Structure formats: structure tokens, C-alpha cells
Amino acid sequence: VQLQASGGGLVQPGNSLRLSCEASGFNLDDYGIAWFRQAPGKEREAVACIKCRGGGEDYADSLKDRFTISRDNAKNMVYLQMNSLTPEDTAVYYCAADSSSKYGTGWTTTYEYKYWGQGIQVTVSS
């Protein structure tokens, strides 16, 4: 099982960026996929999750108006569209996968995910 994240980089405030997470070695449709991020000196925090609590998507409350998670099972890809980026979005972003359904806020917990991709840096700066 592998998760390969891509699409990070340097972006100016107010701009958008789309992260991609390519899954291999498993059937993506059988897994919930989440994005987490970790800013310097801070704990890793949940950003969004798709199909983690049955169907549908979940978002961190502070990000749901700007971020959108989606998946393409045919391509084994999960995406995170990030709009109106601010310097506070600067972090290392990770995608994670797990086959068990989450309950309540369980989707936000890092130990609920068995598989992790490598982190990718997103820097929002002028």
C-alpha cells in the first residue's frame, strides 16, 4: 500500500492550489482518505476526509469554506482543492488512508489511519 502526494509548492496569498494523492496497492473505493497538515511547531491537524464516515466528506470547520476534497476511484486519486490561501495554510500536508469507518470526530485523529503518504510542503507567501 502506497500513498504518493503531489502538487505542493510556493503560492501567493489569495491564490489556489490543488494537492493530489495517488493510491496504489489497494482498492481506493474500500478506503476513507484524509488530508492532514502540520505547521512548524504545531500538532498535525485534520483538514478533510472523504468516505471516512460511510460516504460523503468531512472538513475542519475553519477550512470547509475554502477547501474541497474529492476522489476519482478510476484513477485511484484523491484531491484537495485549496482556495483563498493564506500564510496560515503554510504546512506540510499529508494524505492518509484507512479501511475502517470512523465515528463522530474519529476521522480527525491521526492514529485512526493505518497508511500515510509522504508529506509535501505548501508555502503561502508573497
Side-chain angles (χ1 to χ4, degrees):
V1 173
Q2 277 195 319
L3 298 169
Q4 181 72 40
S6 61
L10 174 64
V11 62
Q12 291 188 337
N15 284 359
S16 299
L17 200 63
R18 189 178 80 159
L19 305 182
S20 299
C21 179
E22 182 177 10
S24 60
F26 62 96
N27 185 359
L28 186 65
D29 198 35
D30 295 333
Y31 283 71
I33 307 293
W35 285 97
F36 285 76
R37 69 183 185 181
Q38 188 165 17
K42 294 187 177 181
E43 293 187 354
R44 194 170 298 188
E45 64 172 351
V47 173
C49 189
I50 189 164
K51 205 179 177 181
C52 291
R53 299 195 296 164
E57 301 83 45
D58 290 285
Y59 295 92
D61 287 342
S62 62
L63 301 175
K64 61 185 178 182
D65 292 335
R66 298 189 294 117
F67 288 16
T68 303
I69 190 171
S70 61
R71 64 196 288 158
D72 185 338
N73 288 340
K75 296 182 179 179
N76 258 23
M77 297 288 288
V78 174
Y79 306 101
L80 183 69
Q81 178 68 39
M82 306 185 293
N83 299 327
S84 302
L85 287 163
T86 74
E88 287 67 38
D89 296 314
T90 295
V92 177
Y93 284 72
Y94 301 85
C95 56
D98 199 80
S99 59
S100 61
S101 292
K102 314 306 175 194
Y103 299 93
T105 60
W107 74 271
T108 67
T109 307
T110 57
Y111 61 74
E112 291 281 349
Y113 297 87
K114 184 174 182 179
Y115 303 108
W116 289 82
Q118 91 291 3
I120 53 172
Q121 179 69 45
V122 172
T123 302
V124 184
S125 175
S126 55

